């Protein structure tokens, strides 16, 4: 399923990111945003997105879609096959906006909401005509670059809508992951919010500063998670014995005061079997040794890529890698370091 | 401060990773590990590390240090300037091993413990001679590649030991971050454990599978965190108004059922000032627009680097980027997609 005409309702950081991704895919977009500064803000995001896409596609980009600023939601959505709503996270505002989209959008249109955490069922109750065409399509900033979109259906969402949404998002270069049950904050923001709350404690209690905490992330597990998620990473950490060994080794930590999150699932055979089984499905096709090599190759390549940034001076772990390899080269040539 | 002779006590995944990093820096290492398979296991890690370092330094590597297997801890540490302990996470075992290291190590040696979460004060109580030379030096797997090491002192740790440890770790290409107050699990594992516990709920409750959860991480915030930590990322998300705006916008989420971590710090002006002030110190030298460009350049470069992996087929977000740019190229040349 490809789309030719899309509508965006809301043009903040997220809404403008959607507009940029759509336009750069050659899709015409009609946008509604009551902010008098909307045109300027969207244009600034577009400039950043164009810059990034030129790096991604140095041989040339498709002709951009046309952007039209509509005066009303009705006008914006009138002939759109796909509509993405990205207004602020207040339920009564979502209700008002979605009711209006629902009243004026073509019956076949797919309506995605960018909400970070509101359940689709709680939003589609405001849609009187076709609530079945609403899904949550939760993206990550910057929307024009990060591929993930969490697709979540509500009680009234049609199965066909989920399928169409998945195809639409994939057709503009994204990675749709359909969340199996709707809960507040879905999966991504559940994980992010747990870590964010823990981080606030660490700062408030003076354990570290925000810069130290950021460094602790980006020189370690951040690099791991850019290429493998936590379960695949921990499977490798289990060594030759894999996920089951990892679980057995770190299961007891759940009893320890290692986080403010103290409401933990019971650590029993059933949980270990569930996770080890799913881990086998995910990664069983590789040996631990193969996974280690894939991980290492990825880490080296990403750090080297970061090392070429900032006019060759490097950024973060890449800047450190430049210093490190320069030091190793000196040692290799017999110089004192 | 550089070291010429180091000792490793414990040669599991973490201990062997330390050995590999040290040897590849040309440092001689004496290791003690009672596991009869230790030599084979360390050798396998060395093979992986050599492979990675050859990619990092295609022009050649320093002459490797010599590895010696000692029969006792006393023998391993006898003439080492730096000793890294990486035995399993049981306090009574740590006590036993550290007491023995303490009894036989040179008085000037720096002793680092790889513990993921035990407070150094709780460990150094077992050291009768020189507890002041113990620090936690908590690394991340794979130790030979990931730069971060959390340096944590205990009640008896000398200020000078912290400084020496920082220099030693930096001299072997690492990024030491000194944690300001000792708490269980320090900073990295506090964050990791909060997210891990939330993840276990998501799997147990059937919201997603481990593969879906991993994909949700590695196609979104994992990529962000490989180059900027959460605070710098959120500063950008605040848009032109920065960190203060972000905090005001997402502060109320702390009251929402967005995670099982419900014990949250009070969200007040003091907390906002603390975080916004530290964020200014960290990132105030760049405008939001500059930070966006740095972030975007990093993201594109890392995804492209991942796109060249796996014999050019790509891995994760890199494989997806290859498909995406191929699709955009077709569109650009006027072909149907």
């Amino acid at each position: 399923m490809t789309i030719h005409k899309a509508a965006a309702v809301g043009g903040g950081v997220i809404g403008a990111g959607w507009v940029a991704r759509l336009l750069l895919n050659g899709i015409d977009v009609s946008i509604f945003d009551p902010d008098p500064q909307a045109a300027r803000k969207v244009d600034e995001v577009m400039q950043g997105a164009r810059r990034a896409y030129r790096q991604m596609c140095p041989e040339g980009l498709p002709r951009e879609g046309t952007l039209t600023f509509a005066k009303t939601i009705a006008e914006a959505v009138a002939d759109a096959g796909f509509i993405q709503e990205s207004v602020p996270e207040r339920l009564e505002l979502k209700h008002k906006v979605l009711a209006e989209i629902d009243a004026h959008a073509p019956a076949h249109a797919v309506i995605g909401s960018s909400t970070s955490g509101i359940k689709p069922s709680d939003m589609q109750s405001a849609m009187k005509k076709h609530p079945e065409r609403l899904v949550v399509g939760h993206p990550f900033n910057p929307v024009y670059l990060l591929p993930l979109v969490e697709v979540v259906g509500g009680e009234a969402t049609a199965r066909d809508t989920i399928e169409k949404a998945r195809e639409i998002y994939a057709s503009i270069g994204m990675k749709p992951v359909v969340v199996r049950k709707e809960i507040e904050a879905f999966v991504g923001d559940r994980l992010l919010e747990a870590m964010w709350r823990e981080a606030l404690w660490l700062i408030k209690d003076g354990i570290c500063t925000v810069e130290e905490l950021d460094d602790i992330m980006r020189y370690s597990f951040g690099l791991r998670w850019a290429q493998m998620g936590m379960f695949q990473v921990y499977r490798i950490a289990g060594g030759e014995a894999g996920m089951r060994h990892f679980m057995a080794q770190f299961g007891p930590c759940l009893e320890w005061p290692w986080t403010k999150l103290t409401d933990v699932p019971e650590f029993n055979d059933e949980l270990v079997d569930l996770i080890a089984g799913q881990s086998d499905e995910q990664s069983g096709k590789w040996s631990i040794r193969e996974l280690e090599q894939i991980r290492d190759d990825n880490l080296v390549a990403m750090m080297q890529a970061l090392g070429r940034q900032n006019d060759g001076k490097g950024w973060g772990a890449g800047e450190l890698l430049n210093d490190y390899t320069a030091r190793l080269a000196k040692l290799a040539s017999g110089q004192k370091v």
Side-chain angles (χ1 to χ4, degrees), chain A:
Chain A
M1 167 144 197
T2 47
I3 34 170
H4 304 286
K5 175 76 201 294
V9 179
V13 173
I14 297 299
W18 280 112
V19 168
R21 184 178 275 273
L22 290 161
L23 293 177
L24 286 163
N25 274 272
I27 298 162
D28 294 337
V29 180
S30 177
I31 182 174
F32 172 75
D33 189 322
D35 180 355
Q37 298 290 316
R40 177 184 64 81
K41 290 185 183 171
V42 171
D43 186 58
E44 282 174 6
V45 173
M46 263 312 283
Q47 288 178 32
R50 270 191 208 109
R51 186 171 173 280
Y53 272 57
R54 281 192 205 112
Q55 291 171 35
M56 273 163 37
C57 305
E59 322 261 291
L61 284 166
R63 195 171 132 188
E64 278 179 22
T66 304
L67 178 63
T68 316
F69 284 85
K71 291 201 179 54
T72 60
I73 290 179
E75 186 190 324
V77 305
D79 55 351
F82 166 65
I83 298 148
Q84 185 77 24
E85 169 275 306
S86 314
V87 304
E89 297 283 68
R90 298 197 307 273
L91 186 57
E92 74 285 3
L93 179 62
K94 295 280 191 196
H95 279 172
K96 186 170 162 283
V97 164
L98 287 169
E100 211 165 327
I101 293 173
D102 184 48
H104 300 285
H108 66 273
V110 169
I111 305 170
S113 169
S114 302
T115 181
S116 324
I118 303 172
K119 290 200 278 188
S121 295
D122 292 341
M123 292 189 291
Q124 60 197 167
S125 58
M127 300 167 73
K128 299 305 168 204
K129 283 172 73 178
H130 294 293
E132 75 279 0
R133 58 190 166 160
L134 178 77
V135 288
V136 163
H138 174 229
F140 288 74
N141 189 40
V143 180
Y144 50 85
L145 281 184
L146 288 183
L148 183 73
V149 55
E150 289 181 286
V151 177
V152 194
E155 283 161 28
T157 305
R159 188 173 287 260
D160 179 53
T161 303
I162 302 265
E163 209 33 62
K164 278 196 218 164
R166 192 210 289 261
E167 285 176 29
I168 290 170
Y169 292 128
S171 79
I172 52 173
M174 300 183 88
K175 171 79 180 178
V177 175
V178 178
V179 175
R180 288 164 188 253
K181 294 181 190 171
E182 70 172 335
I183 53 170
E184 270 106 353
F186 326 128
V187 173
D189 277 354
R190 283 256 159 179
L191 299 171
L192 287 175
E193 188 71 20
M195 200 178 259
W196 169 247
R197 292 180 186 190
E198 191 74 35
L200 291 183
W201 278 117
L202 292 166
I203 303 301
K204 181 183 156 60
D205 292 345
I207 311 302
C208 59
T209 65
V210 305
E211 178 161 10
E212 288 157 0
L213 190 142
D214 274 6
D215 282 346
I216 285 170
M217 297 178 71
R218 71 193 180 123
Y219 288 93
S220 66
F221 54 83
L223 287 162
R224 292 200 300 222
W225 290 347
Q227 44 92 44
M228 289 180 180
M230 67 164 81
F231 286 100
Q232 203 167 42
V233 161
Y234 286 153
R235 183 184 180 94
I236 299 177
E240 293 162 11
M243 200 66 201
R244 221 167 266 279
H245 177 65
F246 176 82
M247 297 281 290
Q249 197 178 354
F250 286 90
C253 299
L254 292 175
E255 308 283 315
W256 299 350
W258 275 26
T259 152
K260 296 273 183 185
L261 201 170
T262 51
D263 175 16
V264 295
E266 198 190 331
F267 187 76
N268 54 23
D269 286 352
E270 201 181 331
L271 185 62
V272 173
D273 286 346
L274 180 67
I275 290 180
Q278 291 185 357
S279 173
D280 287 347
E281 276 175 48
Q282 176 189 26
S283 309
K285 56 184 168 288
W286 297 289
S287 70
I288 296 295
R289 201 61 62 200
E290 286 168 330
L291 283 171
E292 278 175 350
Q293 291 197 356
I294 294 169
R295 175 199 65 192
D296 286 2
D297 289 354
N298 290 342
L299 290 176
V300 171
M302 286 191 305
M303 288 195 287
Q304 286 177 329
L306 290 177
R308 289 185 290 269
Q309 297 307 107
N310 196 11
D311 297 321
K313 187 167 168 286
W315 176 266
E319 185 175 359
L320 192 67
L321 184 77
N322 292 345
D323 295 342
Y324 188 29
T325 51
R327 189 181 172 282
L328 291 172
K330 273 193 189 173
L331 275 176
S333 66
Q335 292 175 65
K336 286 241 181 247
V337 289

